[in-house]
Amino acid sequence: MAVLSRIATYRHLLREVHRQFTKTNDIFEKQLKTMYRENKNVTDPKKMEALNTNAENVLTYLRSSRQHKELRDQYSAIVLEQKKRIEMSAKRVGLNMPKEYNPNEAATDRVMDAFHK
């Protein structure tokens, strides 16, 4: 089970490195592979656990930084206009924006129909 966990962590790390860094530079991928090859003969359970914990921490950091960048790009105040930013904020907390009043539209509300008779 622990071996599968280490292999899964390694694969997840490779995927994350591919997503973020290999488009411009493959040094990070090579460094990751080198680090795993250097430690492939480690038999001490405590050292293996420490290495795996460290790899999981790096994976969490890489995922978090990528997700932070995606969210920052999506919700950037510079990119979004004020109306769109307010609408997205309302949706984030489960609300919908009210319909804006348009004097050119015909009144469809029962109360408004009573006033127009």
Side-chain angles (χ1 to χ4, degrees), residues 60-104:
T60 301
Y61 173 76
L62 289 173
R63 282 182 178 164
S64 298
S65 63
R66 176 180 50 84
Q67 290 171 345
H68 176 262
K69 182 183 180 302
E70 289 171 357
L71 288 170
R72 192 183 65 223
D73 291 344
Q74 183 178 2
Y75 293 104
S76 175
I78 297 171
V79 175
L80 297 176
E81 59 187 37
Q82 182 70 14
K83 181 179 176 184
K84 184 71 174 172
R85 196 173 91 214
I86 292 172
E87 183 179 325
M88 290 177 75
S89 297
K91 284 184 179 182
R92 196 175 310 136
V93 296
L95 301 173
N96 290 325
M97 294 295 294
K99 294 179 183 176
E100 290 186 20
Y101 173 72
N102 187 351
N104 297 329

Side-chain angles (χ1 to χ4, degrees), residues 5-18:
S5 174
R6 286 190 287 274
I7 291 171
T9 303
Y10 174 68
R11 287 180 178 170
H12 289 299
L13 273 169
L14 276 177
R15 278 190 206 112
E16 203 59 45
V17 166
H18 278 291

Side-chain angles (χ1 to χ4, degrees), residues 12-62:
H12 289 299
L13 273 169
L14 276 177
R15 278 190 206 112
E16 203 59 45
V17 166
H18 278 291
R19 283 183 184 160
Q20 294 186 34
F21 303 112
T22 55
K23 294 172 187 159
T24 57
N25 196 346
D26 63 346
I27 288 177
F28 296 108
E29 179 185 358
K30 289 178 183 177
Q31 183 67 26
L32 178 64
K33 289 179 180 180
T34 302
M35 289 171 61
Y36 266 83
R37 287 183 185 131
E38 288 172 356
N39 293 306
K40 72 179 179 181
N41 296 325
V42 174
T43 56
D44 181 25
K46 288 184 180 180
K47 184 164 183 173
M48 288 171 54
E49 186 63 32
L51 289 170
N52 197 43
T53 302
N54 189 27
E56 289 172 356
N57 289 341
V58 170
L59 177 61
T60 301
Y61 173 76
L62 289 173

Side-chain angles (χ1 to χ4, degrees), residues 99 105-113 116:
K99 294 179 183 176
E105 283 184 10
T108 57
D109 191 15
R110 290 185 318 189
V111 175
M112 293 302 289
D113 286 341
H116 291 291

